[in-house]
Amino acid sequence: MKYIAFYLPQYHPVKENNEWWGEGFTEWFNVSKSKPRFKGHNQPHIPTTMGFYDLRVPETRIRQAALAKEYGIDGFCYYHYWFNGHLLLEKPLEAVLKDKEPDLPFCICWANENWTRAWDGMEREVLIKQDYTEQDALEHFEYLLPFLKDDRYIKVDGKPVFLLYRYDHIPDIDNFIHTWNEKAKENGLESIYFICVKNGFVTSSYEEIFKHNFDAVVDFQPNRIDFPSVKTKEQFLVDTARSILPNALFQYLKRNASAVNKISYKHMVDNIVESYAKKPQKVIPAVFPSWDNSARRATPTVIQNDEPESYGYWLDEASKFSASNGLSESFVFINAWNEWAEGCHLEPDLQNGNAFLEQTKKVKNKHE
């Protein structure tokens, strides 16, 4: 059983973020200014062991990998941002390749969405846009080839694992997969182990996704379809207001109110664990320790988990499901190693310390 944690390479200044958000901007700006929205709300999330780090510093990346290994994480899945040859936040992963350290397995997830001011992939104010051409697909592959051939790169049956965050955005996905597989073979690889990320934006069924020759699908979480039907008092009031107020007035009040969409972590986990019995083969589960995007949103979704044991239970059940999903290797993806602005991180903080890491290690030992 291998546990792979998604990894956000946002924590260093770049030219584009300086222009879009202000000089020196990194994710830490949003994290540090977040405030509690209700009684018992765990904000802001303050890092302890790793501190407010800069990913341009080699010692930081080495310390992250050492901490991950210590607690049973088998590798990082780095988010990768490619826009027709224009790269964003590429420095950390390029340094991992160039420096040959840290000695931790890794794979790549192409976060192929437009970048917008909304930070959610929706078509609002687009900062940088994705386009898809045959030539771009070839150039993109050539850029990634040194990573795919690295000894540390995670492979299944000799194939480098590559995740697509929005397969549905690629106009001719079949041709894209075929082209990359052929290029991989030309360069001494078996082909690419393509994994589709089935998140809340990808509405295609599993059946439809597997028609496109994906090797596997990640059941990415959190996903709204798995939110419990039992509503909190706050959500009941929001839904009631939506039903009785004119839309323009409702949207105005929503923008100017400190509304919070509170979801029960325990109830959501129960829904997801129950759904495992109905999922098809070749689906890889994903879990998360807690979730709270208050640092990014005026109206956030909060799935606060104050009981790390609940995360441990979910990871255990996901591991059982993964062991019987018909794939040659068993994986569970964890969202995430360091999504601090989404309140979704294994890295220790003031509130929970190492508790989520300890649960990861405990469950990993059980499934070895």
Side-chain angles (χ1 to χ4, degrees), residues 201-214:
F201 302 117
V202 175
T203 58
S204 305
S205 67
Y206 290 111
E207 182 182 20
E208 174 61 31
I209 292 170
F210 281 121
K211 287 179 181 177
H212 299 291
N213 294 317
F214 280 98

mmCIF file with all atom_site columns, all heavy atoms in Angstrom, residues 201-214:
data_model
loop_
_atom_site.group_PDB
_atom_site.id
_atom_site.type_symbol
_atom_site.label_atom_id
_atom_site.label_alt_id
_atom_site.label_comp_id
_atom_site.label_asym_id
_atom_site.label_entity_id
_atom_site.label_seq_id
_atom_site.pdbx_PDB_ins_code
_atom_site.Cartn_x
_atom_site.Cartn_y
_atom_site.Cartn_z
_atom_site.occupancy
_atom_site.B_iso_or_equiv
_atom_site.pdbx_formal_charge
_atom_site.auth_seq_id
_atom_site.auth_comp_id
_atom_site.auth_asym_id
_atom_site.auth_atom_id
_atom_site.pdbx_PDB_model_num
ATOM 1   N N   . PHE A 1 201 ? -15.605 19.103 -10.461 1.00 0.00 ? 201 PHE A N   1
ATOM 2   C CA  . PHE A 1 201 ? -15.855 19.776 -11.739 1.00 0.00 ? 201 PHE A CA  1
ATOM 3   C C   . PHE A 1 201 ? -16.037 18.774 -12.880 1.00 0.00 ? 201 PHE A C   1
ATOM 4   O O   . PHE A 1 201 ? -16.644 19.097 -13.898 1.00 0.00 ? 201 PHE A O   1
ATOM 5   C CB  . PHE A 1 201 ? -14.702 20.723 -12.077 1.00 0.00 ? 201 PHE A CB  1
ATOM 6   C CG  . PHE A 1 201 ? -14.456 21.768 -11.026 1.00 0.00 ? 201 PHE A CG  1
ATOM 7   C CD1 . PHE A 1 201 ? -13.260 21.806 -10.332 1.00 0.00 ? 201 PHE A CD1 1
ATOM 8   C CD2 . PHE A 1 201 ? -15.424 22.710 -10.725 1.00 0.00 ? 201 PHE A CD2 1
ATOM 9   C CE1 . PHE A 1 201 ? -13.033 22.763 -9.358  1.00 0.00 ? 201 PHE A CE1 1
ATOM 10  C CE2 . PHE A 1 201 ? -15.209 23.681 -9.754  1.00 0.00 ? 201 PHE A CE2 1
ATOM 11  C CZ  . PHE A 1 201 ? -14.001 23.712 -9.061  1.00 0.00 ? 201 PHE A CZ  1
ATOM 12  N N   . VAL A 1 202 ? -15.480 17.591 -12.744 1.00 0.00 ? 202 VAL A N   1
ATOM 13  C CA  . VAL A 1 202 ? -15.573 16.561 -13.787 1.00 0.00 ? 202 VAL A CA  1
ATOM 14  C C   . VAL A 1 202 ? -16.856 15.769 -13.553 1.00 0.00 ? 202 VAL A C   1
ATOM 15  O O   . VAL A 1 202 ? -16.945 14.962 -12.636 1.00 0.00 ? 202 VAL A O   1
ATOM 16  C CB  . VAL A 1 202 ? -14.343 15.634 -13.762 1.00 0.00 ? 202 VAL A CB  1
ATOM 17  C CG1 . VAL A 1 202 ? -14.511 14.501 -14.766 1.00 0.00 ? 202 VAL A CG1 1
ATOM 18  C CG2 . VAL A 1 202 ? -13.069 16.420 -14.052 1.00 0.00 ? 202 VAL A CG2 1
ATOM 19  N N   . THR A 1 203 ? -17.844 16.003 -14.395 1.00 0.00 ? 203 THR A N   1
ATOM 20  C CA  . THR A 1 203 ? -19.155 15.390 -14.184 1.00 0.00 ? 203 THR A CA  1
ATOM 21  C C   . THR A 1 203 ? -19.342 14.082 -14.947 1.00 0.00 ? 203 THR A C   1
ATOM 22  O O   . THR A 1 203 ? -20.369 13.417 -14.787 1.00 0.00 ? 203 THR A O   1
ATOM 23  C CB  . THR A 1 203 ? -20.266 16.377 -14.599 1.00 0.00 ? 203 THR A CB  1
ATOM 24  O OG1 . THR A 1 203 ? -20.073 16.748 -15.968 1.00 0.00 ? 203 THR A OG1 1
ATOM 25  C CG2 . THR A 1 203 ? -20.229 17.628 -13.729 1.00 0.00 ? 203 THR A CG2 1
ATOM 26  N N   . SER A 1 204 ? -18.366 13.702 -15.755 1.00 0.00 ? 204 SER A N   1
ATOM 27  C CA  . SER A 1 204 ? -18.476 12.454 -16.519 1.00 0.00 ? 204 SER A CA  1
ATOM 28  C C   . SER A 1 204 ? -18.560 11.252 -15.579 1.00 0.00 ? 204 SER A C   1
ATOM 29  O O   . SER A 1 204 ? -17.960 11.239 -14.500 1.00 0.00 ? 204 SER A O   1
ATOM 30  C CB  . SER A 1 204 ? -17.256 12.289 -17.427 1.00 0.00 ? 204 SER A CB  1
ATOM 31  O OG  . SER A 1 204 ? -17.078 13.404 -18.250 1.00 0.00 ? 204 SER A OG  1
ATOM 32  N N   . SER A 1 205 ? -19.287 10.246 -16.015 1.00 0.00 ? 205 SER A N   1
ATOM 33  C CA  . SER A 1 205 ? -19.360 9.010  -15.241 1.00 0.00 ? 205 SER A CA  1
ATOM 34  C C   . SER A 1 205 ? -18.046 8.244  -15.362 1.00 0.00 ? 205 SER A C   1
ATOM 35  O O   . SER A 1 205 ? -17.238 8.500  -16.261 1.00 0.00 ? 205 SER A O   1
ATOM 36  C CB  . SER A 1 205 ? -20.503 8.138  -15.764 1.00 0.00 ? 205 SER A CB  1
ATOM 37  O OG  . SER A 1 205 ? -20.206 7.682  -17.084 1.00 0.00 ? 205 SER A OG  1
ATOM 38  N N   . TYR A 1 206 ? -17.851 7.286  -14.459 1.00 0.00 ? 206 TYR A N   1
ATOM 39  C CA  . TYR A 1 206 ? -16.668 6.427  -14.553 1.00 0.00 ? 206 TYR A CA  1
ATOM 40  C C   . TYR A 1 206 ? -16.649 5.696  -15.894 1.00 0.00 ? 206 TYR A C   1
ATOM 41  O O   . TYR A 1 206 ? -15.599 5.570  -16.530 1.00 0.00 ? 206 TYR A O   1
ATOM 42  C CB  . TYR A 1 206 ? -16.654 5.411  -13.408 1.00 0.00 ? 206 TYR A CB  1
ATOM 43  C CG  . TYR A 1 206 ? -16.389 6.002  -12.048 1.00 0.00 ? 206 TYR A CG  1
ATOM 44  C CD1 . TYR A 1 206 ? -17.387 6.042  -11.082 1.00 0.00 ? 206 TYR A CD1 1
ATOM 45  C CD2 . TYR A 1 206 ? -15.137 6.520  -11.724 1.00 0.00 ? 206 TYR A CD2 1
ATOM 46  C CE1 . TYR A 1 206 ? -17.152 6.585  -9.830  1.00 0.00 ? 206 TYR A CE1 1
ATOM 47  C CE2 . TYR A 1 206 ? -14.890 7.062  -10.477 1.00 0.00 ? 206 TYR A CE2 1
ATOM 48  C CZ  . TYR A 1 206 ? -15.907 7.091  -9.531  1.00 0.00 ? 206 TYR A CZ  1
ATOM 49  O OH  . TYR A 1 206 ? -15.666 7.631  -8.289  1.00 0.00 ? 206 TYR A OH  1
ATOM 50  N N   . GLU A 1 207 ? -17.829 5.238  -16.309 1.00 0.00 ? 207 GLU A N   1
ATOM 51  C CA  . GLU A 1 207 ? -17.920 4.505  -17.577 1.00 0.00 ? 207 GLU A CA  1
ATOM 52  C C   . GLU A 1 207 ? -17.428 5.364  -18.732 1.00 0.00 ? 207 GLU A C   1
ATOM 53  O O   . GLU A 1 207 ? -16.678 4.906  -19.601 1.00 0.00 ? 207 GLU A O   1
ATOM 54  C CB  . GLU A 1 207 ? -19.368 4.059  -17.807 1.00 0.00 ? 207 GLU A CB  1
ATOM 55  C CG  . GLU A 1 207 ? -19.559 3.257  -19.085 1.00 0.00 ? 207 GLU A CG  1
ATOM 56  C CD  . GLU A 1 207 ? -21.012 2.869  -19.308 1.00 0.00 ? 207 GLU A CD  1
ATOM 57  O OE1 . GLU A 1 207 ? -21.910 3.511  -18.708 1.00 0.00 ? 207 GLU A OE1 1
ATOM 58  O OE2 . GLU A 1 207 ? -21.259 1.935  -20.089 1.00 0.00 ? 207 GLU A OE2 1
ATOM 59  N N   . GLU A 1 208 ? -17.853 6.619  -18.758 1.00 0.00 ? 208 GLU A N   1
ATOM 60  C CA  . GLU A 1 208 ? -17.452 7.525  -19.834 1.00 0.00 ? 208 GLU A CA  1
ATOM 61  C C   . GLU A 1 208 ? -15.949 7.783  -19.785 1.00 0.00 ? 208 GLU A C   1
ATOM 62  O O   . GLU A 1 208 ? -15.270 7.788  -20.810 1.00 0.00 ? 208 GLU A O   1
ATOM 63  C CB  . GLU A 1 208 ? -18.215 8.847  -19.711 1.00 0.00 ? 208 GLU A CB  1
ATOM 64  C CG  . GLU A 1 208 ? -17.786 9.925  -20.696 1.00 0.00 ? 208 GLU A CG  1
ATOM 65  C CD  . GLU A 1 208 ? -17.980 9.519  -22.150 1.00 0.00 ? 208 GLU A CD  1
ATOM 66  O OE1 . GLU A 1 208 ? -18.912 8.746  -22.445 1.00 0.00 ? 208 GLU A OE1 1
ATOM 67  O OE2 . GLU A 1 208 ? -17.183 9.980  -22.996 1.00 0.00 ? 208 GLU A OE2 1
ATOM 68  N N   . ILE A 1 209 ? -15.409 7.982  -18.600 1.00 0.00 ? 209 ILE A N   1
ATOM 69  C CA  . ILE A 1 209 ? -13.974 8.260  -18.466 1.00 0.00 ? 209 ILE A CA  1
ATOM 70  C C   . ILE A 1 209 ? -13.148 7.088  -18.972 1.00 0.00 ? 209 ILE A C   1
ATOM 71  O O   . ILE A 1 209 ? -12.170 7.268  -19.716 1.00 0.00 ? 209 ILE A O   1
ATOM 72  C CB  . ILE A 1 209 ? -13.633 8.570  -16.996 1.00 0.00 ? 209 ILE A CB  1
ATOM 73  C CG1 . ILE A 1 209 ? -14.261 9.908  -16.573 1.00 0.00 ? 209 ILE A CG1 1
ATOM 74  C CG2 . ILE A 1 209 ? -12.113 8.608  -16.795 1.00 0.00 ? 209 ILE A CG2 1
ATOM 75  C CD1 . ILE A 1 209 ? -14.183 10.194 -15.094 1.00 0.00 ? 209 ILE A CD1 1
ATOM 76  N N   . PHE A 1 210 ? -13.541 5.880  -18.618 1.00 0.00 ? 210 PHE A N   1
ATOM 77  C CA  . PHE A 1 210 ? -12.743 4.712  -18.999 1.00 0.00 ? 210 PHE A CA  1
ATOM 78  C C   . PHE A 1 210 ? -12.837 4.399  -20.498 1.00 0.00 ? 210 PHE A C   1
ATOM 79  O O   . PHE A 1 210 ? -12.040 3.616  -21.004 1.00 0.00 ? 210 PHE A O   1
ATOM 80  C CB  . PHE A 1 210 ? -13.150 3.499  -18.165 1.00 0.00 ? 210 PHE A CB  1
ATOM 81  C CG  . PHE A 1 210 ? -12.546 3.499  -16.779 1.00 0.00 ? 210 PHE A CG  1
ATOM 82  C CD1 . PHE A 1 210 ? -13.349 3.473  -15.653 1.00 0.00 ? 210 PHE A CD1 1
ATOM 83  C CD2 . PHE A 1 210 ? -11.172 3.526  -16.616 1.00 0.00 ? 210 PHE A CD2 1
ATOM 84  C CE1 . PHE A 1 210 ? -12.799 3.475  -14.382 1.00 0.00 ? 210 PHE A CE1 1
ATOM 85  C CE2 . PHE A 1 210 ? -10.610 3.522  -15.351 1.00 0.00 ? 210 PHE A CE2 1
ATOM 86  C CZ  . PHE A 1 210 ? -11.422 3.505  -14.218 1.00 0.00 ? 210 PHE A CZ  1
ATOM 87  N N   . LYS A 1 211 ? -13.762 5.020  -21.202 1.00 0.00 ? 211 LYS A N   1
ATOM 88  C CA  . LYS A 1 211 ? -13.797 4.868  -22.658 1.00 0.00 ? 211 LYS A CA  1
ATOM 89  C C   . LYS A 1 211 ? -12.580 5.507  -23.317 1.00 0.00 ? 211 LYS A C   1
ATOM 90  O O   . LYS A 1 211 ? -12.269 5.219  -24.463 1.00 0.00 ? 211 LYS A O   1
ATOM 91  C CB  . LYS A 1 211 ? -15.063 5.513  -23.224 1.00 0.00 ? 211 LYS A CB  1
ATOM 92  C CG  . LYS A 1 211 ? -16.349 4.743  -22.946 1.00 0.00 ? 211 LYS A CG  1
ATOM 93  C CD  . LYS A 1 211 ? -17.539 5.495  -23.536 1.00 0.00 ? 211 LYS A CD  1
ATOM 94  C CE  . LYS A 1 211 ? -18.848 4.759  -23.238 1.00 0.00 ? 211 LYS A CE  1
ATOM 95  N NZ  . LYS A 1 211 ? -20.020 5.523  -23.759 1.00 0.00 ? 211 LYS A NZ  1
ATOM 96  N N   . HIS A 1 212 ? -11.890 6.382  -22.577 1.00 0.00 ? 212 HIS A N   1
ATOM 97  C CA  . HIS A 1 212 ? -10.773 7.132  -23.137 1.00 0.00 ? 212 HIS A CA  1
ATOM 98  C C   . HIS A 1 212 ? -9.408  6.537  -22.773 1.00 0.00 ? 212 HIS A C   1
ATOM 99  O O   . HIS A 1 212 ? -8.402  7.233  -22.767 1.00 0.00 ? 212 HIS A O   1
ATOM 100 C CB  . HIS A 1 212 ? -10.847 8.583  -22.677 1.00 0.00 ? 212 HIS A CB  1
ATOM 101 C CG  . HIS A 1 212 ? -12.095 9.288  -23.111 1.00 0.00 ? 212 HIS A CG  1
ATOM 102 N ND1 . HIS A 1 212 ? -12.360 9.606  -24.423 1.00 0.00 ? 212 HIS A ND1 1
ATOM 103 C CD2 . HIS A 1 212 ? -13.177 9.700  -22.398 1.00 0.00 ? 212 HIS A CD2 1
ATOM 104 C CE1 . HIS A 1 212 ? -13.531 10.197 -24.505 1.00 0.00 ? 212 HIS A CE1 1
ATOM 105 N NE2 . HIS A 1 212 ? -14.052 10.269 -23.299 1.00 0.00 ? 212 HIS A NE2 1
ATOM 106 N N   . ASN A 1 213 ? -9.395  5.275  -22.428 1.00 0.00 ? 213 ASN A N   1
ATOM 107 C CA  . ASN A 1 213 ? -8.138  4.537  -22.197 1.00 0.00 ? 213 ASN A CA  1
ATOM 108 C C   . ASN A 1 213 ? -7.318  5.051  -21.016 1.00 0.00 ? 213 ASN A C   1
ATOM 109 O O   . ASN A 1 213 ? -6.087  4.963  -21.017 1.00 0.00 ? 213 ASN A O   1
ATOM 110 C CB  . ASN A 1 213 ? -7.263  4.548  -23.464 1.00 0.00 ? 213 ASN A CB  1
ATOM 111 C CG  . ASN A 1 213 ? -7.905  3.775  -24.598 1.00 0.00 ? 213 ASN A CG  1
ATOM 112 O OD1 . ASN A 1 213 ? -8.445  2.688  -24.381 1.00 0.00 ? 213 ASN A OD1 1
ATOM 113 N ND2 . ASN A 1 213 ? -7.880  4.333  -25.795 1.00 0.00 ? 213 ASN A ND2 1
ATOM 114 N N   . PHE A 1 214 ? -8.009  5.557  -20.011 1.00 0.00 ? 214 PHE A N   1
ATOM 115 C CA  . PHE A 1 214 ? -7.304  5.856  -18.762 1.00 0.00 ? 214 PHE A CA  1
ATOM 116 C C   . PHE A 1 214 ? -7.000  4.547  -18.047 1.00 0.00 ? 214 PHE A C   1
ATOM 117 O O   . PHE A 1 214 ? -7.788  3.608  -18.069 1.00 0.00 ? 214 PHE A O   1
ATOM 118 C CB  . PHE A 1 214 ? -8.157  6.757  -17.863 1.00 0.00 ? 214 PHE A CB  1
ATOM 119 C CG  . PHE A 1 214 ? -8.113  8.206  -18.244 1.00 0.00 ? 214 PHE A CG  1
ATOM 120 C CD1 . PHE A 1 214 ? -9.120  8.761  -19.014 1.00 0.00 ? 214 PHE A CD1 1
ATOM 121 C CD2 . PHE A 1 214 ? -7.051  9.007  -17.850 1.00 0.00 ? 214 PHE A CD2 1
ATOM 122 C CE1 . PHE A 1 214 ? -9.084  10.090 -19.376 1.00 0.00 ? 214 PHE A CE1 1
ATOM 123 C CE2 . PHE A 1 214 ? -7.000  10.345 -18.200 1.00 0.00 ? 214 PHE A CE2 1
ATOM 124 C CZ  . PHE A 1 214 ? -8.015  10.895 -18.967 1.00 0.00 ? 214 PHE A CZ  1
#
